[in-house]
Amino acid sequence: MELLGKFTIDREGLIYDLRAKLPGVLSAIGYDRQTSTQQLAFLSEICKERLSLSRDSELCLYYKPSPSALVFEVIHGDPISSTLRLNGMFSNTSMKEVEDGGHVLQFYRPASGRSSAGKSVSVEELRKQLTIKSREELMAELEGSNAAL
């Protein structure tokens, strides 16, 4: 598995940013539109649950080449209660406790289709799609720069 990106779940805006960036990544890997939408809805639910607990969590996204899949991993200090709902959507879910007392929930569903246009998936291209700044991120940077002046 190749790490595509690591995000701190510390603001609701991150959920919207990911919902804007991930459809292209999911399509490139080979997910159809319906499956992509379902996965994004579940991801939003988990991120909102983590935000409501007022403690930062981390979200790591991995590309799994065989079978082709986008793997979601949520790391949090508290147990994650969404696993039962996830089992209906994702064929592979696991939760484990790590040494420092944190909990790691990993889930994915193999893509049923071929990567977009039948091309092989470039990990660098997937990473690039995740690092492109959204309009909101650019505006926040600009406002921060203006405030510093």
Side-chain angles (χ1 to χ4, degrees), residues 6 8 11 21 24 29 49 56 64 82-83 88 90 96-98 102 121 125 130 133-134 148:
K6 192 174 201 176
T8 300
R11 59 187 177 85
K21 294 175 183 180
I29 292 173
E49 177 187 79
D56 290 350
K64 185 177 185 298
S82 303
T83 55
F90 298 94
K96 61 185 175 190
E97 190 170 339
V98 290
V121 177
E125 185 59 36
L130 289 173
K133 293 185 179 182
S134 68

Side-chain angles (χ1 to χ4, degrees), residues 24-42:
V25 171
L26 290 164
S27 175
I29 292 173
Y31 291 99
D32 60 52
R33 182 179 283 168
Q34 180 181 1
T35 304
S36 296
T37 302
Q38 290 171 337
Q39 290 192 50
L40 292 173
F42 276 95

Side-chain angles (χ1 to χ4, degrees), residues 76-91:
H76 195 273
D78 300 319
I80 299 169
S81 62
S82 303
T83 55
L84 290 176
R85 291 181 296 246
L86 288 173
N87 287 334
M89 173 64 196
F90 298 94
S91 56

Side-chain angles (χ1 to χ4, degrees), residues 93-121:
T93 60
S94 66
M95 188 162 70
K96 61 185 175 190
E97 190 170 339
V98 290
E99 291 177 11
D100 65 358
H103 297 267
V104 177
L105 172 64
Q106 192 177 76
F107 53 97
Y108 71 93
R109 176 180 182 174
S112 57
R114 297 182 53 159
S115 60
S116 56
K119 299 177 183 173
S120 64
V121 177

Side-chain angles (χ1 to χ4, degrees), residues 18-63:
L18 289 173
R19 286 191 71 128
K21 294 175 183 180
L22 284 176
V25 171
L26 290 164
S27 175
I29 292 173
Y31 291 99
D32 60 52
R33 182 179 283 168
Q34 180 181 1
T35 304
S36 296
T37 302
Q38 290 171 337
Q39 290 192 50
L40 292 173
F42 276 95
L43 179 62
S44 294
E45 179 183 334
I46 289 171
C47 289
K48 287 177 183 176
E49 177 187 79
R50 300 293 94 200
L51 281 170
S52 70
L53 296 174
S54 302
R55 290 182 56 193
D56 290 350
S57 298
E58 286 187 351
L59 170 67
C60 299
L61 300 174
Y62 295 92
Y63 170 62

